Amino acid sequence: MPHNRLFRPRAAAVAVASLLVLGGTAPALAASGGDAPHAAAWHHREPLPASYSIPGDKTYPEGIARQQGTPFFYVGSTSDGTIYRGDVHQSATKVFLPGGKDGRTSVAGMKTDRAGRLIVAGGATGKVFVYDTRTRALLHVFDTGRTDTFLNDVALAPNGDAYISDSIHPALWHITAAELKSKQVQQPLHVGVDLTNSPMVYDVGFNGNGLVVTGDGRYVLLADYNDYAFYRVDVRTRQVVPIDLGGAKGVSGDGLLLRGDTLTAVTELDHPEGQISVLKLSHDYAKAELVRTVHGHGMHSPSTAAVDGHDLLIVNFQFQIADPKLPFNVVRVHV
């Protein structure tokens, strides 16, 4: 597909908005992610809401994090940087951190770690913000020092490190566990893997997007939103290898989840009704077979997902929609 198709409404709208300010059920899906360890331990009271509303008519929520060992999840606004907190037992979310504070004028992907930190990719701000979910205190601001960047999503490694995708600048950013534990608030954000001369070619528009870290911590699996492609990035050797999709077409990864050898990709690209793709990975993560795709089930141009027990919490982003369906929401898809 021609690369110039990327500045499609969704991608263009996200970039412009960020720069200006710097549910139903579905067939079973196997998925997990950086926020998932809580899932087995947390026991829900039934029934759970099918959807969760998010305040505001210009919120355009993109990222979501499900917090281990609690009933809470977090969703962020790309338009003003507000972060909302929801309780999985209640159908409405509330403001957790107001937009604009700490220079957080837009947010995209986010994760919570085992220490109760909320790690938030700041889009075109070029910053990653880290908060204590218990006190709401700002713990860190990691800054790329660049303006030609869009920090899109966050993935956590088993050792506590965090990796951040960049949709505009060819880099995989890296925050070490030691940096997250330090008392220093303002810190530089370092490049973990330079993608400049790699097989993953950055073109105009959105490139690096959803990402996950494999269970052994050796690889980051990174989606190229532009090209309907996925790459295996070796964080030790810096080698970047395209993942062979076995001829599958139309598979895109705005948000990725991983459990064992099952990769789940969520996207709205070419699918306003949403698409969840389930892929089975080879033992070396270099090949993937498309097992099935799921559409609909309350999705409206979704961006990403978090795991909640046997369900997925899907964020209905709707950014390319001039007259979005309100209220903005997160929908529960049974897995």
Side-chain angles (χ1 to χ4, degrees):
M1 180 167 290
H3 297 313
N4 60 11
R5 87 176 290 286
L6 167 70
F7 250 88
R8 55 182 72 87
R10 187 266 190 193
V14 178
V16 169
S18 298
L19 291 170
L20 286 175
V21 295
L22 172 109
T25 62
L29 305 175
S32 184
D35 300 296
H38 83 283
W42 184 261
H43 300 287
H44 295 312
R45 301 188 303 271
E46 297 293 345
L48 294 172
S51 68
Y52 303 89
S53 63
I54 302 171
D57 59 3
K58 292 181 172 60
T59 305
Y60 298 103
E62 204 274 353
I64 185 169
R66 179 68 173 89
Q67 188 171 16
Q68 175 181 350
T70 78
F72 301 126
F73 64 91
Y74 301 85
V75 180
S77 168
T78 55
S79 60
D80 67 5
T82 300
I83 295 175
Y84 302 87
R85 184 165 74 179
D87 183 319
V88 294
H89 304 104
Q90 301 174 9
S91 61
T93 64
K94 299 178 181 179
V95 173
F96 180 71
L97 295 168
K101 189 176 182 181
D102 308 317
R104 181 178 26 81
T105 53
S106 179
V107 296
M110 57 183 68
K111 289 290 185 296
T112 54
D113 67 9
R114 291 184 177 87
R117 291 179 288 244
L118 178 65
I119 304 167
V120 182
T125 67
K127 299 176 181 179
V128 173
F129 303 90
V130 183
Y131 293 92
D132 187 322
T133 57
R134 291 174 290 270
T135 66
R136 293 180 168 84
L138 174 68
L139 300 178
H140 306 291
V141 178
F142 295 95
D143 193 346
T144 64
R146 306 185 67 101
T147 57
D148 60 336
T149 187
F150 190 95
L151 303 184
N152 195 315
D153 208 349
V154 180
L156 300 178
N159 67 352
D161 288 5
Y163 293 91
I164 300 92
S165 62
D166 195 320
S167 295
I168 296 176
H169 181 68
L172 176 65
W173 301 91
H174 180 212
I175 301 173
T176 67
E179 290 172 324
L180 286 169
K181 292 177 181 177
S182 77
K183 300 298 183 181
Q184 185 177 349
V185 176
Q186 301 290 333
Q187 299 187 55
L189 182 59
H190 299 291
V191 174
V193 179
D194 187 345
L195 302 173
T196 303
N197 296 313
S198 76
M200 183 174 176
V201 178
Y202 270 59
D203 299 302
V204 174
F206 272 30
N207 298 272
N209 206 322
L211 75 168
V212 290
V213 183
T214 58
D216 58 6
R218 179 172 178 178
Y219 301 115
V220 169
L221 308 184
L222 176 62
D224 184 341
Y225 188 82
N226 236 3
D227 294 337
Y228 298 85
F230 298 82
Y231 294 87
R232 187 195 72 183
V233 182
D234 191 320
V235 298
R236 301 174 191 169
T237 67
R238 310 297 193 264
Q239 182 186 31
V240 180
V241 175
I243 297 176
D244 181 358
L245 298 182
K249 304 296 183 183
V251 180
S252 175
D254 195 342
L256 297 183
L257 302 168
L258 180 65
R259 172 175 291 163
D261 62 357
T262 299
L263 181 69
T264 301
V266 178
T267 189
E268 53 75 42
L269 186 56
D270 297 335
H271 296 282
E273 78 285 14
Q275 176 170 291
I276 301 171
S277 301
V278 180
L279 303 107
K280 188 68 67 174
L281 293 161
S282 62
H283 72 281
D284 61 356
Y285 307 102
K287 296 181 180 180
E289 176 187 358
L290 179 62
V291 177
R292 62 184 176 274
T293 57
V294 178
H295 302 94
H297 302 284
M299 292 187 285
H300 297 286
S301 296
S303 54
T304 190
V307 175
D308 184 45
H310 294 292
D311 298 341
L312 296 183
L313 300 179
I314 307 281
V315 184
N316 280 329
F317 186 21
Q318 298 193 85
F319 214 112
Q320 77 276 40
I321 298 176
D323 186 18
K325 181 178 180 179
L326 298 177
F328 288 102
N329 67 351
V330 171
V331 293
R332 176 176 295 276
V333 178
H334 179 64
V335 296

